[in-house]
């Protein structure tokens, strides 16, 4: 990527919040976008240093998960601005994965926010002019370093089709379970956090989710189902706890070096969401964990997460 391409982008202000699918301006990490030179798209992102969720860490490194969230927002900006996807159209994220290539790029200099440029390539799988599913892939450059690569599949629905689907799904499920609201969160230090409010799992044979819909980041706006980023954060926290308890990870202050998540169905509010986590491999200080999310006795989503220590 050349300096001229960077010069097209501004970090002065955020894009309209609706384009990033956020309600609060402070939750928008995308500042600008522009068409790239080869049919791709460039997106400028900045993560604020004082963010109540992403600055809640116990290391002098920015959380790679924060740039994965920036990339997720950037994908919507690209689809709305350059592919004519209407704002407000229902969507579902089917698959999302990323890999961190250089943790040194995430070093916090304690003077400036983390910012970088995302480059996207989009494959439109729509048929006959109708919106359908699209695949996005790309990379994040911080300074001159390729810090992360990512790919994901998103599917869009007509509003009436989505409403009918959700009505059918919700009508076939049991009434609310009081146990879902009675989960006690783990100690924040066990998942590498300071603030208990940012802990999303409890303890047990399976890790039950702690769903606080008043949380300003996880639940930035109203949802009719448990949102994907919240589910993935639960996967991350469960992976950390499982890896430390197995003895394969020395500390819960660990970086997610890779994450691959597949969603099969929506998680519903008012019913217990539980995550299983199993260490599947360990070598060279890195640990891989397989995870599954269950509700009503069925698997809703699965993930593979690779963890490792931050540089000394």
């Amino acid at each position: 990527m050349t300096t001229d391409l960077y010069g097209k982008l501004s970090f002065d202000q955020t894009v309209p919040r609706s384009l990033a699918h956020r309600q609060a301006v402070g939750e928008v990490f995308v500042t600008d976008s522009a068409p790239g030179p080869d049919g791709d798209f460039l997106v400028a992102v900045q993560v604020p240093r004082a963010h109540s969720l992403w600055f809640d860490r116990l290391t002098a490194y920015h959380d790679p998960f924060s740039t994965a969230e920036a990339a997720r927002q950037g994908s919507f900006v690209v689809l709305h601005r350059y592919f004519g996807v209407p704002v407000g159209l229902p969507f579902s994220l089917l698959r999302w994965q990323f890999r961190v290539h250089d943790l040194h790029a995430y070093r916090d200099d304690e003077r400036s926010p983390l910012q970088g440029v995302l480059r996207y390539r989009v494959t439109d799988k729509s048929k006959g002019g109708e919106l359908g599913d699209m695949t996005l892939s790309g990379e994040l450059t911080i300074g001159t370093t390729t810090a992360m690569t990512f790919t994901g599949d998103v599917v869009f629905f007509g509003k009436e089709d989505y409403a009918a689907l959700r009505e059918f799904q919700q009508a076939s499920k049991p009434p609310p379970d009081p146990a879902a609201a009675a989960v006690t969160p783990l100690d924040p230090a066990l998942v590498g956090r300071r603030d208990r409010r940012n802990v999303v799992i409890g303890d047990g044979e399976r890790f039950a989710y702690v769903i606080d819909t008043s949380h300003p980041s996880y639940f930035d706006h109203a949802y009719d189902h448990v949102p994907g980023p919240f589910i993935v954060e639960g996967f991350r926290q469960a992976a950390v706890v499982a890896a430390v308890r197995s003895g394969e990870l020395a500390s819960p202050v660990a970086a997610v070096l890779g994450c691959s998540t597949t969603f099969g169905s929506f998680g519903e509010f008012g019913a217990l969401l539980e995550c299983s986590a199993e260490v599947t491999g360990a070598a060279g200080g890195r640990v891989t964990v397989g995870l599954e999310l269950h509700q009503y006795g069925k698997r809703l989503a699965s993930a593979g997460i690779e963890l490792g220590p931050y540089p000394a």
Side-chain angles (χ1 to χ4, degrees):
M1 188 180 297
T2 67
T3 302
D4 288 343
L5 294 180
Y6 275 112
K8 290 183 178 180
L9 299 170
S10 169
F11 295 91
D12 288 343
Q13 61 186 17
T14 64
V15 300
R17 56 187 182 166
S18 61
L19 294 180
H21 294 194
R22 300 275 85 185
Q23 176 173 268
V25 173
E27 294 296 322
V28 179
F29 300 157
V30 178
T31 63
D32 200 6
S33 68
D38 303 311
D40 52 7
F41 303 92
L42 305 177
V43 174
V45 296
Q46 183 184 94
V47 181
R49 292 185 59 238
H51 193 277
S52 63
L53 173 59
W54 300 117
F55 195 64
D56 181 23
R57 47 186 168 83
L58 300 173
T59 180
Y61 284 81
H62 297 282
D63 187 347
F65 251 49
S66 67
T67 56
E69 168 59 19
R72 188 186 74 91
Q73 293 182 21
S75 67
F76 297 129
V77 173
V78 167
L79 294 176
H80 291 315
R81 280 187 166 173
Y82 305 109
F83 286 83
V85 176
V87 172
L89 197 69
F91 73 95
S92 178
L93 190 63
L94 303 179
R95 180 181 62 90
W96 181 247
Q97 65 182 52
F98 67 83
R99 176 153 296 279
V100 176
H101 293 271
D102 192 338
L103 270 177
H104 290 90
Y106 287 90
R107 180 77 185 184
D108 184 0
D109 65 7
E110 300 184 348
R111 294 292 183 274
S112 54
L114 174 66
Q115 64 183 33
V117 174
L118 300 157
R119 181 193 288 263
Y120 290 88
R121 293 169 290 275
V122 181
T123 303
D124 182 358
K125 298 181 180 180
S126 303
K127 304 295 183 183
E130 295 291 330
L131 282 171
D133 57 318
M134 296 181 176
T135 296
L136 301 97
S137 60
E139 61 273 346
L140 166 68
T141 300
I142 299 174
T144 60
T145 301
T146 299
M148 175 184 286
T149 54
F150 53 86
T151 183
D153 295 322
V154 61
V155 61
F156 292 91
F157 300 89
K159 290 185 177 182
E160 292 183 358
D161 292 338
Y162 180 79
L165 171 66
R166 293 297 291 135
E167 182 179 4
F168 172 78
Q169 289 177 331
Q170 292 172 330
S172 63
K173 292 177 178 175
D177 179 359
V183 180
T184 301
L186 285 168
D187 187 302
L190 296 178
V191 296
R193 298 281 192 184
R194 290 190 178 92
D195 188 346
R196 183 177 296 274
R197 196 177 187 192
N198 292 329
V199 179
V200 305
I201 58 170
D203 209 351
E205 185 176 348
R206 287 181 174 178
F207 299 101
Y209 276 65
V210 180
I211 300 178
D212 174 10
T213 57
S214 69
H215 193 283
S217 294
Y218 297 138
F219 297 93
D220 166 74
H221 56 278
Y223 296 89
D224 72 342
H225 61 275
V226 181
F230 175 78
I231 288 173
V232 178
E233 175 62 24
F235 280 154
R236 183 254 285 269
Q237 294 184 14
V240 167
V241 175
V244 171
R245 287 179 175 174
S246 74
E248 299 291 354
L249 188 67
S251 168
V253 182
V256 177
L257 304 174
C259 178
S260 178
T261 305
T262 301
F263 297 94
S265 186
F266 294 108
E268 304 292 354
F269 293 109
L272 204 61
L273 273 171
E274 295 180 301
C275 171
S276 61
E278 179 181 1
V279 173
T280 57
R286 298 189 172 199
V287 184
T288 55
V289 183
L291 304 113
E292 292 187 348
L293 182 71
H294 297 265
Q295 190 176 59
Y296 303 116
K298 297 181 179 180
R299 186 178 69 180
L300 303 185
S302 60
I305 287 181
E306 181 180 1
L307 302 165
Y310 285 96

